[in-house]
Amino acid sequence: MKTDINKLRELIRYHERKYYIDDQPEITDAAFDALMRQLEELEKASADDIPSDSPTQRVGGGVALGSRIPHRSPMLSLDNTFGKDELLDFGKRVQRILEDEPVEYVAELKIDGLGVSLLYENGVLVRGLTRGDGEFGEDVSGNLRTIRAVPLRLISTDDNPVPPVLEVRGEVFIPKHLLDDINVQREAAGESPFANPRNAAAGSVRTQNSNVTAKRPLDIFIYSLNYVEGLEVQTHTEALVKLKGFGFKCNPYTELQNSLEDVFIYYNQWVEKREEIPYEVDGIVVKVNDISQQRELGSTAKSPRWATSYKFPAHQTITTIEKIEVQVGRTGVLTPVAILKPVKLAGATITHATLHNEQEIRNKDIRIGDTIVLERAGDVIPKINDVLKEKRTGDEIVFQFPDVCPTCDTPVQRSETEVAVRCVNAGCSAQLKRRIAHYASRNSLEIEGLGPATVNQLVNNDLVQDVADLYTLKVEEVGKLERMGPGLTHNLLHQIEHSKQASAAKLLVGLSIFHVGETVAEVLMDHFLSIDALSQANAEAIEVIPGIGPQIAESVATFFAQNRPLIEKLKAVGLKCFTEEVVKTPQVLEDPFFSGKTFVVTGSLPDMTRTEASTQIKARGGKVTSSVTGKTDYLIAGEGAGSKYDKAVELGVEILTAEAFFEHLGEN
Ligand code: IVH
């Protein structure tokens, strides 16, 4: 009986490998499912414990988000090389340290996903960690186990016996073409879509519920053997052969190169062919093949000297503008948005691009019907790079910016000092919807399950007139909304209740005060320590804080003067930050890259709020301000970077993608 079960497990593992790793299934899905059912039956009937490496044990393992498990050796990031000259410079540095010994290089694809480490003891997967801050990772074992290309048990043969301890590292990713499917489902469930396959992979691995991960089409490529006991390998390519023998999935396009000239040819080939690969690749990685040479070269605090990455240029594509719509933001600002003929770009279907403001449309002479070049670099949202005026037929239409709010018909307000055009009707339902969605968002009070679709329903059914009304919603009221079953209702009300624990800075961000984002909110709370104290302050008292200018001070003071009843309502429903003091920013650990420099953070960063990013910068001795000026050293541009990005380009301020920022932090 025992041998039957074990044979069946082996057979299923074999077919899992054929399907998920070799991409050459030998049996039909139905036949595979039948084998699985048979195994489940046998395991149910057996008195023995089910081993953790049984193919039936993929879902249900533990995940400890927020845990800090030390990596055996730091998970470093890679230095970036830009252009052929820098690639050759990398080679010169290597040659200098190795005193002109012959060097072999390996070129591989840089997969744009989430770096993880997997630990095997006696061939059995015992732990999976995220990269975390490079020193410590989070235990996401239960989620990584659900990925069918992650072996729960390794293959051991006489020629290639599995070592007692083995740690590998690799990249978890979602195939590009499946991102749209996931986003359709997310939007139907009222959740915001993932902007790119990498965010989708990260979001799927960093979740508390392994059932969610199991439903996502995650895959993995193992790119290094990081630690092993009882096995000697001389080269990286030899290690990859061993790893494939143990049953790991390694990328098939890894190639040994004779010289950096050949690496450059490899790079150019993939610049041409990158769209053909079914997963997102953002460049190539070049590695010194010989392991003893790698050891001799060693690493800096952030990256190994024996490897570098060489990124591909930004993705570009051409499409046309079908219409221009005007959206009303949470502070009443009217933002024109180009509705595009849907087009694929960097693994996602793009249908919209912001046009920022009325002036931008005029300056660039953007017209409805125009053919445009859409570009997307790294994590930055797509932007219109160029208008192809030579493609005009004469049928293009000049856009008339509206004089009334498209939602409530109130005449718009134009100001002398700002490019923004506003709807000033405080009761405008479009604004209210945006304010509530913002209040619930990750950078604010983080109310899971309160996405745009649910907010629409709450406002359209008159259940909420302001954010404080969320806390007095009743089960019966929410339960009768469309698509809100008892489970979702319970969960939503639970999450709303839980949001009462949020910090004062988060609440301040959530209130949608003009000019108050995460950075300003932190600075204000660091100074005033409570919302009550801040709400009593006049503009002069706020303006004395370093980094807070008169515009912000005026905006904050005016907000509190006009919204006293809302603040009293929030206090009355029991938000914790009204009764607890703010904790000051922690002690500084100087870092030469950050120290003494001024940063601005804009857009949303994968896996990190802007507040966290600011805390990290400040903790390394950097300064964070809210607007881009001549004094700004770096702009960190996440998804959705808009006017600050343009300002930085205009002033020649260096722009860091989220990825480059994480590399400097030592977190990727
Ligand atoms: S090797 C010491 N190889 O890129 C660093 N990394 O910025 C060793 N990545 O965190 C990394 N594809 O998660 C390596 N073929 C590849 C890779 C790869 C993607 C990721 C990895 C790393 C990041 C570096």
Side-chain angles (χ1 to χ4, degrees), residues 364-377:
K364 289 195 175 163
D365 185 21
I366 297 170
R367 300 182 190 178
I368 301 163
D370 265 339
T371 303
I372 50 130
V373 179
L374 201 63
E375 179 179 295
R376 171 180 208 170

Side-chain angles (χ1 to χ4, degrees), residues 390-523:
E390 66 277 15
K391 298 252 178 190
R392 284 193 177 154
T393 60
D395 293 338
E396 293 72 22
I397 301 165
V398 175
F399 177 67
Q400 290 300 328
F401 207 87
D403 291 323
V404 295
C405 168
T407 302
C408 67
D409 278 343
T410 308
V412 299
Q413 197 180 68
R414 288 185 163 82
S415 99
E416 301 263 300
T417 51
E418 279 191 328
V419 285
V421 174
R422 293 178 197 278
C423 163
V424 286
N425 170 16
C428 170
S429 70
Q431 286 186 49
L432 177 61
K433 285 174 184 172
R434 292 292 175 110
R435 275 203 298 277
I436 294 173
H438 172 76
Y439 186 83
S441 72
R442 206 171 58 149
N443 299 335
S444 305
L445 286 269
E446 276 193 284
I447 306 176
E448 225 177 274
L450 188 50
T454 311
V455 171
N456 269 347
Q457 294 204 66
L458 290 174
V459 174
N460 294 346
N461 286 284
D462 280 335
L463 294 179
V464 287
Q465 269 81 43
D466 59 38
V467 293
D469 288 343
L470 291 170
Y471 297 99
T472 47
L473 282 170
K474 299 194 178 57
V475 177
E476 315 81 75
E477 291 171 337
V478 178
K480 66 172 190 256
L481 299 178
E482 225 176 277
R483 281 194 287 112
M484 289 300 267
L488 286 178
T489 302
H490 170 83
N491 190 41
L492 177 61
L493 293 179
H494 172 77
Q495 292 290 341
I496 291 174
E497 187 61 27
H498 179 71
S499 74
K500 290 181 178 172
Q501 306 299 318
S503 70
K506 289 239 172 198
L507 173 62
L508 206 52
V509 174
L511 291 173
S512 291
I513 307 172
F514 272 160
H515 308 305
V516 180
E518 289 175 80
T519 313
V520 170
E522 286 259 303
V523 173

